[in-house]
Amino acid sequence: MMKPDEFYITDGLYVFTERYHLRRQRCCGNGCRHCPYEHREVPEEKKASLAPPYPYFGGPNAKFD
């Protein structure tokens, strides 16, 4: 189950936060806005159409205190 700090809704769509992706522990390949895994699984042709990645702190091994 998703926690309240793991998503928000914009224009009727769920947007998953970095915290959600870190808990998931891998890139899903969909080109998510807050992907901390540098879109590793996104096909190259799709990467070109993505907005620049949002800054994140700590990368996939980040610890939240």
Short mmCIF file of all heavy atoms in Angstrom, two decimals:
data_model
loop_
_atom_site.label_atom_id
_atom_site.label_comp_id
_atom_site.label_asym_id
_atom_site.label_seq_id
_atom_site.Cartn_x
_atom_site.Cartn_y
_atom_site.Cartn_z
N MET A 1 0.83 -1.18 0.00
CA MET A 1 0.00 0.00 0.00
C MET A 1 0.88 1.25 0.00
O MET A 1 1.89 1.31 0.68
CB MET A 1 -0.90 -0.01 1.22
CG MET A 1 -1.83 1.14 1.28
SD MET A 1 -3.11 0.79 2.49
CE MET A 1 -4.16 2.13 2.15
N MET A 2 0.49 2.24 -0.79
CA MET A 2 1.26 3.47 -0.86
C MET A 2 1.00 4.35 0.35
O MET A 2 -0.11 4.42 0.85
CB MET A 2 0.90 4.25 -2.13
CG MET A 2 1.41 3.62 -3.39
SD MET A 2 1.15 4.66 -4.82
CE MET A 2 -0.63 4.72 -4.89
N LYS A 3 2.04 5.02 0.78
CA LYS A 3 1.94 5.95 1.89
C LYS A 3 1.70 7.36 1.33
O LYS A 3 2.06 7.65 0.19
CB LYS A 3 3.22 5.90 2.71
CG LYS A 3 3.47 4.52 3.29
CD LYS A 3 4.80 4.45 3.98
CE LYS A 3 5.04 3.02 4.46
NZ LYS A 3 6.36 2.85 5.01
N PRO A 4 1.11 8.25 2.12
CA PRO A 4 0.77 9.59 1.62
C PRO A 4 1.97 10.39 1.09
O PRO A 4 1.80 11.21 0.19
CB PRO A 4 0.17 10.29 2.84
CG PRO A 4 -0.33 9.19 3.70
CD PRO A 4 0.60 8.03 3.48
N ASP A 5 3.18 10.15 1.59
CA ASP A 5 4.34 10.89 1.10
C ASP A 5 4.99 10.24 -0.12
O ASP A 5 6.05 10.64 -0.55
CB ASP A 5 5.37 11.07 2.21
CG ASP A 5 5.97 9.76 2.70
OD1 ASP A 5 5.39 8.69 2.42
OD2 ASP A 5 7.00 9.82 3.38
N GLU A 6 4.36 9.21 -0.68
CA GLU A 6 4.93 8.50 -1.82
C GLU A 6 4.27 8.85 -3.15
O GLU A 6 4.67 8.32 -4.18
CB GLU A 6 4.86 7.00 -1.59
CG GLU A 6 5.73 6.56 -0.44
CD GLU A 6 5.69 5.06 -0.21
OE1 GLU A 6 4.72 4.39 -0.62
OE2 GLU A 6 6.64 4.57 0.39
N PHE A 7 3.31 9.75 -3.14
CA PHE A 7 2.66 10.15 -4.39
C PHE A 7 1.92 11.46 -4.18
O PHE A 7 1.69 11.90 -3.06
CB PHE A 7 1.68 9.08 -4.87
CG PHE A 7 0.44 8.99 -4.04
CD1 PHE A 7 -0.72 9.66 -4.41
CD2 PHE A 7 0.41 8.25 -2.87
CE1 PHE A 7 -1.87 9.59 -3.64
CE2 PHE A 7 -0.73 8.16 -2.09
CZ PHE A 7 -1.88 8.84 -2.48
N TYR A 8 1.61 12.11 -5.30
CA TYR A 8 0.69 13.24 -5.30
C TYR A 8 -0.08 13.18 -6.60
O TYR A 8 0.28 12.41 -7.51
CB TYR A 8 1.42 14.58 -5.11
CG TYR A 8 2.50 14.88 -6.11
CD1 TYR A 8 2.23 15.59 -7.28
CD2 TYR A 8 3.81 14.49 -5.87
CE1 TYR A 8 3.23 15.88 -8.19
CE2 TYR A 8 4.82 14.78 -6.78
CZ TYR A 8 4.53 15.48 -7.93
OH TYR A 8 5.51 15.77 -8.83
N ILE A 9 -1.15 13.90 -6.69
CA ILE A 9 -2.00 13.86 -7.88
C ILE A 9 -1.92 15.19 -8.60
O ILE A 9 -2.07 16.25 -8.01
CB ILE A 9 -3.46 13.54 -7.50
CG1 ILE A 9 -3.51 12.17 -6.79
CG2 ILE A 9 -4.36 13.55 -8.74
CD1 ILE A 9 -4.86 11.82 -6.22
N THR A 10 -1.62 15.13 -9.90
CA THR A 10 -1.54 16.31 -10.76
C THR A 10 -2.38 16.05 -12.00
O THR A 10 -2.18 15.04 -12.68
CB THR A 10 -0.08 16.59 -11.18
OG1 THR A 10 0.68 16.82 -10.00
CG2 THR A 10 0.01 17.79 -12.08
N ASP A 11 -3.31 16.93 -12.28
CA ASP A 11 -4.19 16.79 -13.44
C ASP A 11 -4.87 15.42 -13.48
O ASP A 11 -5.02 14.81 -14.53
CB ASP A 11 -3.42 17.03 -14.74
CG ASP A 11 -2.87 18.43 -14.84
OD1 ASP A 11 -3.53 19.36 -14.33
OD2 ASP A 11 -1.79 18.60 -15.43
N GLY A 12 -5.21 14.91 -12.30
CA GLY A 12 -5.91 13.63 -12.22
C GLY A 12 -5.01 12.41 -12.33
O GLY A 12 -5.50 11.29 -12.33
N LEU A 13 -3.70 12.61 -12.43
CA LEU A 13 -2.76 11.50 -12.56
C LEU A 13 -1.92 11.35 -11.29
O LEU A 13 -1.52 12.34 -10.68
CB LEU A 13 -1.83 11.72 -13.75
CG LEU A 13 -2.50 11.86 -15.11
CD1 LEU A 13 -1.48 12.24 -16.16
CD2 LEU A 13 -3.22 10.59 -15.49
N TYR A 14 -1.65 10.13 -10.90
CA TYR A 14 -0.77 9.88 -9.77
C TYR A 14 0.67 10.08 -10.20
O TYR A 14 1.10 9.56 -11.23
CB TYR A 14 -0.93 8.44 -9.26
CG TYR A 14 -2.17 8.24 -8.45
CD1 TYR A 14 -3.41 8.06 -9.05
CD2 TYR A 14 -2.10 8.22 -7.06
CE1 TYR A 14 -4.54 7.88 -8.30
CE2 TYR A 14 -3.24 8.03 -6.29
CZ TYR A 14 -4.45 7.87 -6.92
OH TYR A 14 -5.58 7.69 -6.17
N VAL A 15 1.43 10.82 -9.41
CA VAL A 15 2.86 11.02 -9.65
C VAL A 15 3.58 10.44 -8.44
O VAL A 15 3.34 10.86 -7.30
CB VAL A 15 3.19 12.52 -9.81
CG1 VAL A 15 4.69 12.71 -10.01
CG2 VAL A 15 2.41 13.12 -10.96
N PHE A 16 4.42 9.46 -8.67
CA PHE A 16 5.14 8.81 -7.58
C PHE A 16 6.38 9.61 -7.22
O PHE A 16 7.11 10.08 -8.08
CB PHE A 16 5.53 7.39 -7.96
CG PHE A 16 4.33 6.52 -8.23
CD1 PHE A 16 4.06 6.04 -9.50
CD2 PHE A 16 3.47 6.19 -7.20
CE1 PHE A 16 2.95 5.26 -9.74
CE2 PHE A 16 2.34 5.40 -7.44
CZ PHE A 16 2.10 4.94 -8.71
N THR A 17 6.63 9.74 -5.92
CA THR A 17 7.77 10.51 -5.43
C THR A 17 9.03 9.63 -5.42
O THR A 17 8.96 8.41 -5.59
CB THR A 17 7.52 11.02 -4.01
OG1 THR A 17 7.40 9.90 -3.13
CG2 THR A 17 6.28 11.89 -3.93
N GLU A 18 10.16 10.29 -5.19
CA GLU A 18 11.42 9.57 -5.10
C GLU A 18 11.36 8.52 -3.99
O GLU A 18 11.87 7.41 -4.14
CB GLU A 18 12.55 10.55 -4.84
CG GLU A 18 13.90 9.88 -4.72
CD GLU A 18 15.01 10.83 -4.41
OE1 GLU A 18 14.76 12.03 -4.19
OE2 GLU A 18 16.16 10.37 -4.37
N ARG A 19 10.71 8.86 -2.90
CA ARG A 19 10.61 7.92 -1.77
C ARG A 19 9.93 6.62 -2.22
O ARG A 19 10.33 5.53 -1.85
CB ARG A 19 9.83 8.55 -0.63
CG ARG A 19 9.76 7.66 0.59
CD ARG A 19 9.03 8.31 1.74
NE ARG A 19 9.73 9.45 2.27
CZ ARG A 19 10.60 9.40 3.27
NH1 ARG A 19 10.85 8.26 3.85
NH2 ARG A 19 11.19 10.49 3.69
N TYR A 20 8.87 6.73 -3.03
CA TYR A 20 8.19 5.53 -3.54
C TYR A 20 9.15 4.69 -4.38
O TYR A 20 9.24 3.47 -4.21
CB TYR A 20 6.98 5.92 -4.38
CG TYR A 20 6.39 4.75 -5.12
CD1 TYR A 20 5.51 3.88 -4.48
CD2 TYR A 20 6.72 4.48 -6.44
CE1 TYR A 20 4.98 2.78 -5.14
CE2 TYR A 20 6.19 3.39 -7.11
CZ TYR A 20 5.33 2.54 -6.46
OH TYR A 20 4.82 1.45 -7.10
N HIS A 21 9.88 5.36 -5.27
CA HIS A 21 10.80 4.62 -6.14
C HIS A 21 11.93 3.97 -5.36
O HIS A 21 12.35 2.85 -5.69
CB HIS A 21 11.36 5.55 -7.21
CG HIS A 21 10.34 6.00 -8.19
ND1 HIS A 21 9.73 5.15 -9.09
CD2 HIS A 21 9.79 7.21 -8.41
CE1 HIS A 21 8.85 5.82 -9.82
NE2 HIS A 21 8.87 7.08 -9.42
N LEU A 22 12.43 4.64 -4.34
CA LEU A 22 13.48 4.04 -3.53
C LEU A 22 12.97 2.79 -2.81
O LEU A 22 13.68 1.80 -2.69
CB LEU A 22 14.02 5.06 -2.53
CG LEU A 22 14.85 6.18 -3.14
CD1 LEU A 22 15.15 7.24 -2.11
CD2 LEU A 22 16.12 5.64 -3.76
N ARG A 23 11.73 2.84 -2.35
CA ARG A 23 11.15 1.66 -1.70
C ARG A 23 10.97 0.53 -2.71
O ARG A 23 11.13 -0.65 -2.39
CB ARG A 23 9.81 2.02 -1.04
CG ARG A 23 9.25 0.89 -0.20
CD ARG A 23 8.11 1.35 0.70
NE ARG A 23 6.98 1.87 -0.01
CZ ARG A 23 5.94 1.14 -0.44
NH1 ARG A 23 5.90 -0.16 -0.21
NH2 ARG A 23 4.94 1.70 -1.04
N ARG A 24 10.66 0.88 -3.93
CA ARG A 24 10.45 -0.11 -5.00
C ARG A 24 11.77 -0.78 -5.41
O ARG A 24 11.80 -1.90 -5.89
CB ARG A 24 9.84 0.61 -6.21
CG ARG A 24 9.32 -0.29 -7.27
CD ARG A 24 8.48 0.55 -8.23
NE ARG A 24 7.67 -0.30 -9.01
CZ ARG A 24 7.89 -0.56 -10.29
NH1 ARG A 24 8.89 0.01 -10.91
NH2 ARG A 24 7.11 -1.38 -10.94
N GLN A 25 12.87 -0.05 -5.28
CA GLN A 25 14.24 -0.55 -5.46
C GLN A 25 14.66 -0.83 -6.89
O GLN A 25 15.64 -1.53 -7.12
CB GLN A 25 14.49 -1.78 -4.60
CG GLN A 25 14.33 -1.51 -3.13
CD GLN A 25 14.63 -2.72 -2.29
OE1 GLN A 25 14.67 -3.85 -2.76
NE2 GLN A 25 14.85 -2.48 -1.01
N ARG A 26 13.95 -0.28 -7.87
CA ARG A 26 14.41 -0.45 -9.25
C ARG A 26 13.68 0.52 -10.17
O ARG A 26 12.61 1.03 -9.84
CB ARG A 26 14.21 -1.88 -9.74
CG ARG A 26 12.76 -2.28 -9.89
CD ARG A 26 12.62 -3.71 -10.39
NE ARG A 26 11.23 -4.07 -10.53
CZ ARG A 26 10.48 -3.81 -11.61
NH1 ARG A 26 11.00 -3.21 -12.65
NH2 ARG A 26 9.22 -4.18 -11.64
N CYS A 27 14.24 0.74 -11.34
CA CYS A 27 13.59 1.55 -12.35
C CYS A 27 12.56 0.69 -13.08
O CYS A 27 12.84 -0.45 -13.46
CB CYS A 27 14.63 2.07 -13.35
SG CYS A 27 13.94 2.99 -14.74
N CYS A 28 11.36 1.23 -13.27
CA CYS A 28 10.30 0.45 -13.92
C CYS A 28 10.32 0.61 -15.44
O CYS A 28 9.65 -0.12 -16.15
CB CYS A 28 8.94 0.88 -13.38
SG CYS A 28 8.50 2.59 -13.75
N GLY A 29 11.07 1.61 -15.95
CA GLY A 29 11.18 1.79 -17.39
C GLY A 29 10.12 2.69 -17.99
O GLY A 29 10.04 2.82 -19.21
N ASN A 30 9.30 3.34 -17.16
CA ASN A 30 8.24 4.20 -17.68
C ASN A 30 8.63 5.66 -17.81
O ASN A 30 7.82 6.47 -18.26
CB ASN A 30 7.00 4.10 -16.78
CG ASN A 30 6.33 2.75 -16.92
OD1 ASN A 30 6.23 2.22 -18.01
ND2 ASN A 30 5.91 2.19 -15.81
N GLY A 31 9.83 6.03 -17.41
CA GLY A 31 10.26 7.42 -17.51
C GLY A 31 9.65 8.30 -16.45
O GLY A 31 9.28 9.45 -16.71
N CYS A 32 9.53 7.80 -15.25
CA CYS A 32 8.89 8.53 -14.16
C CYS A 32 9.61 9.84 -13.83
O CYS A 32 10.83 9.92 -13.89
CB CYS A 32 8.84 7.66 -12.91
SG CYS A 32 7.89 6.14 -13.16
N ARG A 33 8.83 10.83 -13.46
CA ARG A 33 9.33 12.18 -13.18
C ARG A 33 10.39 12.20 -12.08
O ARG A 33 11.37 12.91 -12.17
CB ARG A 33 8.16 13.07 -12.77
CG ARG A 33 8.56 14.48 -12.46
CD ARG A 33 7.37 15.31 -12.09
NE ARG A 33 6.50 15.47 -13.24
CZ ARG A 33 5.37 16.15 -13.23
NH1 ARG A 33 4.95 16.72 -12.12
NH2 ARG A 33 4.64 16.26 -14.31
N HIS A 34 10.21 11.42 -11.03
CA HIS A 34 11.10 11.46 -9.88
C HIS A 34 11.98 10.22 -9.76
O HIS A 34 12.39 9.84 -8.66
CB HIS A 34 10.29 11.65 -8.59
CG HIS A 34 9.51 12.91 -8.58
ND1 HIS A 34 10.10 14.14 -8.43
CD2 HIS A 34 8.18 13.15 -8.71
CE1 HIS A 34 9.17 15.08 -8.45
NE2 HIS A 34 7.99 14.51 -8.63
N CYS A 35 12.32 9.61 -10.86
CA CYS A 35 13.12 8.38 -10.85
C CYS A 35 14.52 8.65 -10.31
O CYS A 35 15.28 9.42 -10.89
CB CYS A 35 13.23 7.80 -12.25
SG CYS A 35 14.20 6.27 -12.31
N PRO A 36 14.90 7.99 -9.20
CA PRO A 36 16.25 8.16 -8.67
C PRO A 36 17.26 7.23 -9.32
O PRO A 36 18.43 7.23 -8.96
CB PRO A 36 16.08 7.84 -7.18
CG PRO A 36 15.01 6.82 -7.17
CD PRO A 36 14.06 7.23 -8.28
N TYR A 37 16.83 6.44 -10.29
CA TYR A 37 17.68 5.44 -10.91
C TYR A 37 18.14 5.86 -12.31
O TYR A 37 18.54 5.03 -13.12
CB TYR A 37 16.97 4.09 -10.97
CG TYR A 37 16.59 3.61 -9.59
CD1 TYR A 37 15.28 3.66 -9.15
CD2 TYR A 37 17.56 3.18 -8.70
CE1 TYR A 37 14.93 3.26 -7.87
CE2 TYR A 37 17.23 2.77 -7.42
CZ TYR A 37 15.91 2.82 -7.01
OH TYR A 37 15.58 2.43 -5.74
N GLU A 38 18.07 7.16 -12.58
CA GLU A 38 18.54 7.74 -13.85
C GLU A 38 17.89 7.09 -15.07
O GLU A 38 18.52 6.96 -16.11
CB GLU A 38 20.07 7.66 -13.91
CG GLU A 38 20.73 8.40 -12.78
CD GLU A 38 22.23 8.23 -12.73
OE1 GLU A 38 22.79 7.46 -13.56
OE2 GLU A 38 22.86 8.84 -11.86
N HIS A 39 16.67 6.65 -14.92
CA HIS A 39 15.89 6.05 -16.02
C HIS A 39 16.65 4.91 -16.70
O HIS A 39 16.63 4.77 -17.92
CB HIS A 39 15.52 7.13 -17.05
CG HIS A 39 14.63 8.18 -16.49
ND1 HIS A 39 14.95 9.51 -16.57
CD2 HIS A 39 13.47 8.11 -15.81
CE1 HIS A 39 14.01 10.23 -15.98
NE2 HIS A 39 13.10 9.40 -15.50
N ARG A 40 17.28 4.05 -15.91
CA ARG A 40 18.11 2.95 -16.44
C ARG A 40 17.36 2.02 -17.39
O ARG A 40 17.94 1.51 -18.33
CB ARG A 40 18.67 2.12 -15.30
CG ARG A 40 19.71 2.84 -14.51
CD ARG A 40 20.28 1.93 -13.43
NE ARG A 40 21.04 2.76 -12.52
CZ ARG A 40 21.08 2.59 -11.22
NH1 ARG A 40 20.41 1.62 -10.67
NH2 ARG A 40 21.79 3.39 -10.46
N GLU A 41 16.10 1.77 -17.12
CA GLU A 41 15.34 0.79 -17.91
C GLU A 41 14.49 1.43 -19.01
O GLU A 41 13.80 0.71 -19.74
CB GLU A 41 14.44 -0.05 -17.00
CG GLU A 41 15.19 -0.81 -15.91
CD GLU A 41 16.18 -1.83 -16.48
OE1 GLU A 41 15.88 -2.44 -17.52
OE2 GLU A 41 17.26 -1.99 -15.88
N VAL A 42 14.56 2.73 -19.16
CA VAL A 42 13.76 3.42 -20.18
C VAL A 42 14.46 3.26 -21.53
O VAL A 42 15.66 3.51 -21.64
CB VAL A 42 13.61 4.93 -19.83
CG1 VAL A 42 12.84 5.65 -20.92
CG2 VAL A 42 12.93 5.08 -18.49
N PRO A 43 13.74 2.86 -22.57
CA PRO A 43 14.34 2.73 -23.90
C PRO A 43 14.93 4.07 -24.36
O PRO A 43 14.38 5.14 -24.08
CB PRO A 43 13.17 2.32 -24.80
CG PRO A 43 12.14 1.76 -23.86
CD PRO A 43 12.32 2.49 -22.57
N GLU A 44 16.05 4.01 -25.06
CA GLU A 44 16.75 5.23 -25.50
C GLU A 44 15.86 6.18 -26.28
O GLU A 44 15.92 7.39 -26.10
CB GLU A 44 17.99 4.86 -26.33
CG GLU A 44 19.11 4.26 -25.52
CD GLU A 44 19.63 5.18 -24.43
OE1 GLU A 44 19.76 6.40 -24.66
OE2 GLU A 44 19.90 4.66 -23.32
N GLU A 45 15.01 5.66 -27.15
CA GLU A 45 14.14 6.53 -27.95
C GLU A 45 13.14 7.29 -27.09
O GLU A 45 12.75 8.40 -27.40
CB GLU A 45 13.44 5.78 -29.08
CG GLU A 45 12.56 4.62 -28.65
CD GLU A 45 13.28 3.31 -28.44
OE1 GLU A 45 14.51 3.25 -28.58
OE2 GLU A 45 12.60 2.33 -28.09
N LYS A 46 12.74 6.70 -25.97
CA LYS A 46 11.82 7.37 -25.07
C LYS A 46 12.55 8.39 -24.18
O LYS A 46 12.01 9.42 -23.83
CB LYS A 46 11.09 6.35 -24.20
CG LYS A 46 10.02 6.97 -23.32
CD LYS A 46 9.19 5.93 -22.60
CE LYS A 46 8.11 6.61 -21.77
NZ LYS A 46 7.26 5.64 -21.09
N LYS A 47 13.81 8.11 -23.82
CA LYS A 47 14.59 9.01 -22.98
C LYS A 47 14.71 10.39 -23.61
O LYS A 47 14.71 11.40 -22.91
CB LYS A 47 15.99 8.45 -22.73
CG LYS A 47 16.06 7.43 -21.66
CD LYS A 47 17.51 7.02 -21.42
CE LYS A 47 17.58 5.87 -20.46
NZ LYS A 47 18.97 5.48 -20.17
N ALA A 48 14.83 10.45 -24.92
CA ALA A 48 15.00 11.73 -25.62
C ALA A 48 13.80 12.64 -25.42
O ALA A 48 13.95 13.87 -25.45
CB ALA A 48 15.24 11.48 -27.10
N SER A 49 12.63 12.10 -25.19
CA SER A 49 11.42 12.92 -25.04
C SER A 49 11.12 13.28 -23.58
O SER A 49 10.18 14.03 -23.32
CB SER A 49 10.22 12.19 -25.64
OG SER A 49 9.92 11.03 -24.87
N LEU A 50 11.92 12.79 -22.65
CA LEU A 50 11.68 13.06 -21.24
C LEU A 50 12.23 14.43 -20.86
O LEU A 50 13.22 14.90 -21.41
CB LEU A 50 12.36 12.01 -20.35
CG LEU A 50 11.87 10.58 -20.50
CD1 LEU A 50 12.73 9.66 -19.64
CD2 LEU A 50 10.41 10.46 -20.11
N ALA A 51 11.57 15.05 -19.90
CA ALA A 51 12.08 16.30 -19.33
C ALA A 51 13.37 15.98 -18.58
O ALA A 51 13.56 14.85 -18.13
CB ALA A 51 11.05 16.90 -18.40
N PRO A 52 14.25 16.96 -18.42
CA PRO A 52 15.46 16.70 -17.64
C PRO A 52 15.08 16.17 -16.26
O PRO A 52 14.07 16.58 -15.70
CB PRO A 52 16.13 18.07 -17.53
CG PRO A 52 15.53 18.88 -18.62
CD PRO A 52 14.16 18.32 -18.89
N PRO A 53 15.88 15.26 -15.72
CA PRO A 53 15.52 14.68 -14.42
C PRO A 53 15.51 15.74 -13.33
O PRO A 53 16.29 16.67 -13.33
CB PRO A 53 16.61 13.64 -14.18
CG PRO A 53 17.71 13.98 -15.10
CD PRO A 53 17.11 14.74 -16.24
N TYR A 54 14.59 15.55 -12.41
CA TYR A 54 14.52 16.43 -11.25
C TYR A 54 15.72 16.12 -10.36
O TYR A 54 16.14 14.98 -10.28
CB TYR A 54 13.24 16.15 -10.48
CG TYR A 54 12.02 16.75 -11.13
CD1 TYR A 54 11.51 16.24 -12.31
CD2 TYR A 54 11.39 17.83 -10.55
CE1 TYR A 54 10.40 16.79 -12.90
CE2 TYR A 54 10.26 18.39 -11.12
CZ TYR A 54 9.78 17.87 -12.30
OH TYR A 54 8.68 18.42 -12.88
N PRO A 55 16.24 17.12 -9.67
CA PRO A 55 17.36 16.82 -8.77
C PRO A 55 16.89 15.96 -7.61
O PRO A 55 15.77 16.09 -7.14
CB PRO A 55 17.78 18.20 -8.28
CG PRO A 55 16.61 19.07 -8.47
CD PRO A 55 15.85 18.50 -9.64
N TYR A 56 17.71 15.08 -7.20
CA TYR A 56 17.41 14.26 -6.04
C TYR A 56 18.67 14.16 -5.20
O TYR A 56 19.75 14.44 -5.68
CB TYR A 56 16.86 12.89 -6.42
CG TYR A 56 17.82 12.04 -7.21
CD1 TYR A 56 18.69 11.17 -6.58
CD2 TYR A 56 17.86 12.11 -8.59
CE1 TYR A 56 19.58 10.40 -7.31
CE2 TYR A 56 18.74 11.34 -9.32
CZ TYR A 56 19.59 10.49 -8.67
OH TYR A 56 20.46 9.74 -9.38
N PHE A 57 18.51 13.77 -3.99
CA PHE A 57 19.63 13.77 -3.06
C PHE A 57 19.95 12.35 -2.63
O PHE A 57 19.10 11.65 -2.12
CB PHE A 57 19.29 14.63 -1.84
CG PHE A 57 18.96 16.04 -2.23
CD1 PHE A 57 17.65 16.45 -2.39
CD2 PHE A 57 19.98 16.94 -2.49
CE1 PHE A 57 17.35 17.74 -2.77
CE2 PHE A 57 19.69 18.23 -2.89
CZ PHE A 57 18.38 18.63 -3.02
N GLY A 58 21.16 11.93 -2.86
CA GLY A 58 21.63 10.67 -2.32
C GLY A 58 21.58 9.49 -3.25
O GLY A 58 22.26 8.51 -3.03
N GLY A 59 20.81 9.52 -4.28
CA GLY A 59 20.73 8.40 -5.21
C GLY A 59 19.99 7.21 -4.64
O GLY A 59 19.34 7.30 -3.59
N PRO A 60 20.07 6.08 -5.31
CA PRO A 60 19.28 4.92 -4.92
C PRO A 60 19.65 4.32 -3.57
O PRO A 60 18.90 3.54 -3.02
CB PRO A 60 19.51 3.92 -6.06
CG PRO A 60 20.73 4.37 -6.73
CD PRO A 60 20.83 5.86 -6.52
N ASN A 61 20.81 4.69 -3.02
CA ASN A 61 21.21 4.15 -1.72
C ASN A 61 20.97 5.15 -0.59
O ASN A 61 21.49 4.99 0.51
CB ASN A 61 22.68 3.73 -1.75
CG ASN A 61 22.91 2.63 -2.74
OD1 ASN A 61 22.13 1.69 -2.82
ND2 ASN A 61 23.97 2.73 -3.51
N ALA A 62 20.18 6.17 -0.85
CA ALA A 62 19.92 7.22 0.15
C ALA A 62 19.20 6.65 1.37
O ALA A 62 18.38 5.76 1.25
CB ALA A 62 19.09 8.34 -0.47
N LYS A 63 19.53 7.20 2.49
CA LYS A 63 18.87 6.82 3.75
C LYS A 63 18.09 8.03 4.22
O LYS A 63 18.58 9.16 4.21
CB LYS A 63 19.89 6.44 4.80
CG LYS A 63 20.78 5.29 4.41
CD LYS A 63 20.06 3.98 4.58
CE LYS A 63 20.99 2.80 4.39
NZ LYS A 63 20.99 2.20 3.10
N PHE A 64 16.85 7.83 4.62
CA PHE A 64 16.03 8.92 5.13
C PHE A 64 16.05 8.88 6.65
O PHE A 64 15.72 7.87 7.26
CB PHE A 64 14.59 8.81 4.62
CG PHE A 64 14.48 9.01 3.15
CD1 PHE A 64 14.41 7.95 2.30
CD2 PHE A 64 14.47 10.29 2.62
CE1 PHE A 64 14.30 8.15 0.93
CE2 PHE A 64 14.37 10.50 1.27
CZ PHE A 64 14.29 9.43 0.42
N ASP A 65 16.48 9.96 7.25
CA ASP A 65 16.54 10.02 8.72
C ASP A 65 15.32 10.67 9.29
O ASP A 65 14.70 11.49 8.75
CB ASP A 65 17.77 10.80 9.18
CG ASP A 65 19.05 10.07 8.78
OD1 ASP A 65 19.03 8.82 8.77
OD2 ASP A 65 20.04 10.75 8.50
#
